[in-house]
Amino acid sequence: MALVEINFDGLVGPSHNYAGLSLGNLASASHGGDPSYPRAAALQGLDKMRHNLALGLTQGFFAPLPRPNPGFLSALGLGTPRDATETRLRAAAWSASAMWTANAATVSPAPDTADGRCHLTAANLVTMPHRSQEWPDTVRQLRLAFADHAHFVVHDAVPACFGDEGAANHMRMAAHHDAAGIELFVYGRPGGPFPARQHEQASRAVARIHGLNAERTLFIEQSAEAIAAGAFHNDVVAVANERVLFTHEAAFADPQGTYAAIRAALPEAEIVVVPTSAVSLADAIKSYLFNAQLLSLPTGEMALVIPTEAWETPSVRTWLDGMLASNGPIRRVLPVDVRQSMANGGGPACLRLRVVADPATVDPRFLLDPARIDALAAVVAQTWPAQIDPTDLGSTTLAQTVHDARYALLATAGLTELA
Ligand code: SUG
């Protein structure tokens, strides 16, 4: 079979909660302390997977990581918290943040790499303490899913001195998914009010490790204005698919230079720019218009899977209506409800890792069909907590419920070696 794009969505874990842990992520900050609804959150995510499968696309998933993370708690010497800082650190050990698999790894498909294999480098996520604990367990899962060494190489994260946030700060463009492409690494510079999570040297290391062709690899600076406005990852303000880049005007430090470099490296590139005059940076970030899945449908059309929040934002809706009425490359807009994830700053694009590969080379336990989605949804409906209040974190009863729920999921998926 030809190489196709497979979207691996992170299944929202049973400890999903709002702890306000991500400085610079406005949704996380504003919902910190709210009750969360893990069961509804995971079912919303599974509905999105079902929706994309029904479009005729190949869909996979990754399982939640073990939480609360005993290794993280003991490495910090944490028992019962004695102050607000320790309470936050304990919340970090409970975070279900691995659901945002766009941050799991950076992926360079086989047509782009020197050895003709698909390379994946786990992201170290060191900027945010609650995310820094993810990568060792993520690597274990990637090494299971992509164990076929003839087709895949899974690398450990780059050294912690350089922050790496994975595919959320990486875009690939190509005439078609299975053609040699160009890879765009978007990094931030520190100095603004919020952390710049992606370090340029991490991006350069990943490009070297993956054996990318220097002439087809671009390193692009994110605009400081976008980071300061709450674009903590580039995928909050830009998304690419095959020959199309869909971007806010204020995404990059040097927009015109960036567009020219892309056109020089990929002459068939089409760049759809949303101007600030149509959608302000604030509306783009609040609505998550760009944290969309830009997908090539089997019909040959491109569709934009957006969060319902974007569809309901007047400036965004007006712009999308105009885009659909024009003759642009994006022909369909499909809203999905992922509100539980959105309230922590994770839209449809955050929830998935894109891998261009032949599905026959992937461990089938990570691939989905409607019956497998139904089976996962039944486990979630039966075992995921209905509600978590931030004050519940630390409860031994809840910890056992979360552990048992994850184990039930792994058993159903045939993945108990990840327990
Ligand atoms: O890293 N939120 C995540 C959202 C990640 C979105 N991913 C992409 N843009 N690709 C983050 O900031 C919030 C957790 C909390 O506050 O409880 C959180 O981690």
Side-chain angles (χ1 to χ4, degrees):
M1 190 179 170
L3 304 183
V4 298
E5 178 175 278
I6 312 170
N7 283 282
F8 290 86
D9 280 42
L11 180 61
V12 179
S15 67
H16 162 62
N17 70 88
Y18 300 123
L21 297 175
S22 278
L23 178 65
N25 169 344
L26 305 183
S28 153
S30 66
H31 290 276
D34 287 356
S36 62
Y37 302 94
R39 191 183 301 163
L43 293 174
Q44 286 171 0
L46 285 161
D47 278 346
K48 174 168 96 72
M49 299 182 220
R50 224 181 244 120
H51 173 266
N52 287 357
L53 203 57
L55 293 171
L57 303 167
T58 310
Q59 182 68 48
F61 87 107
F62 292 132
L65 304 186
R67 296 290 178 268
N69 183 350
F72 188 76
L73 289 167
S74 71
L76 290 169
L78 270 181
T80 304
R82 286 167 298 193
D83 57 29
T85 303
E86 289 191 0
T87 302
R88 280 175 74 78
L89 286 172
R90 182 178 64 184
W94 283 74
S95 179
S97 52
M99 70 171 88
W100 298 297
T101 53
N103 304 115
T106 305
V107 184
S108 295
D112 300 354
T113 66
D115 68 1
R117 294 187 288 173
C118 175
H119 286 248
L120 301 96
T121 295
N124 63 29
L125 298 171
V126 290
T127 307
M128 293 293 150
H130 68 290
R131 304 220 59 183
S132 67
Q133 62 185 318
E134 291 174 26
W135 82 261
D137 287 315
T138 295
V139 156
R140 284 177 67 205
Q141 188 154 201
L142 295 177
R143 291 206 166 115
L144 267 193
F146 307 110
D148 182 341
H149 297 299
H151 296 97
F152 299 101
V153 190
V154 176
H155 305 273
D156 283 352
V158 302
C161 47
F162 302 123
D164 180 20
E165 300 276 323
N169 276 64
H170 171 262
M171 299 183 287
R172 174 175 191 260
M173 298 179 71
H176 301 286
H177 287 310
D178 59 357
I182 61 171
E183 299 205 10
L184 319 179
F185 290 82
V186 187
Y187 61 88
R189 277 194 203 286
F194 297 138
R197 296 202 203 180
Q198 182 71 36
H199 197 292
E200 179 182 355
Q201 293 310 320
S203 297
R204 289 186 182 274
V206 171
R208 282 191 294 269
I209 291 163
H210 289 191
L212 300 182
N213 178 336
E215 281 164 25
R216 302 180 70 80
T217 307
L218 305 181
F219 298 95
I220 299 166
E221 188 186 337
Q222 209 181 348
S223 89
E225 182 196 359
I227 300 175
F232 56 97
H233 288 137
N234 172 66
D235 70 3
V236 173
V237 280
V239 59
N241 180 58
E242 295 194 316
R243 68 185 193 287
V244 176
L245 170 66
F246 178 56
T247 180
H248 193 273
E249 180 182 19
F252 309 118
D254 173 12
Q256 295 311 326
T258 300
Y259 307 155
I262 290 171
R263 290 195 179 102
L266 188 76
E268 52 272 83
E270 281 187 59
I271 303 178
V272 180
V273 181
V274 180
T276 306
S277 56
V279 178
S280 67
L281 203 43
D283 270 6
I285 290 168
K286 196 163 194 312
S287 73
Y288 262 40
L289 165 63
F290 296 93
N291 200 260
Q293 287 188 261
L294 184 54
L295 298 165
S296 300
L297 303 180
T299 55
E301 288 179 315
M302 272 195 209
L304 194 66
V305 175
I306 58 167
T308 38
E309 286 84 343
W311 198 236
E312 290 162 0
T313 300
S315 62
V316 171
R317 180 67 172 269
T318 303
W319 196 87
L320 287 172
D321 285 343
M323 178 189 80
L324 288 172
S326 75
N327 203 20
I330 304 171
R331 302 308 317 147
R332 292 176 69 185
V333 174
L334 305 170
V336 291
D337 177 0
V338 287
R339 286 184 195 278
Q340 279 291 305
S341 170
M342 283 285 286
N344 243 341
C350 300
L351 285 163
R352 61 89 175 95
L353 183 69
R354 306 158 98 176
V355 178
V356 170
D358 176 349
T361 62
V362 175
D363 186 318
R365 293 174 295 176
F366 292 92
L367 296 176
L368 295 172
D369 58 22
R372 265 175 78 73
I373 295 188
D374 289 349
L376 300 183
V379 176
V380 166
Q382 265 172 24
T383 64
W384 257 231
Q387 179 173 339
I388 294 182
D389 294 300
T391 49
D392 297 336
L393 302 182
S395 146
T396 44
T397 316
L398 182 61
Q400 192 63 47
T401 302
V402 165
H403 176 273
D404 293 350
R406 176 174 177 269
Y407 191 83
L409 188 283
L410 294 176
T412 296
L415 288 167
T416 47
E417 64 253 66
L418 290 172

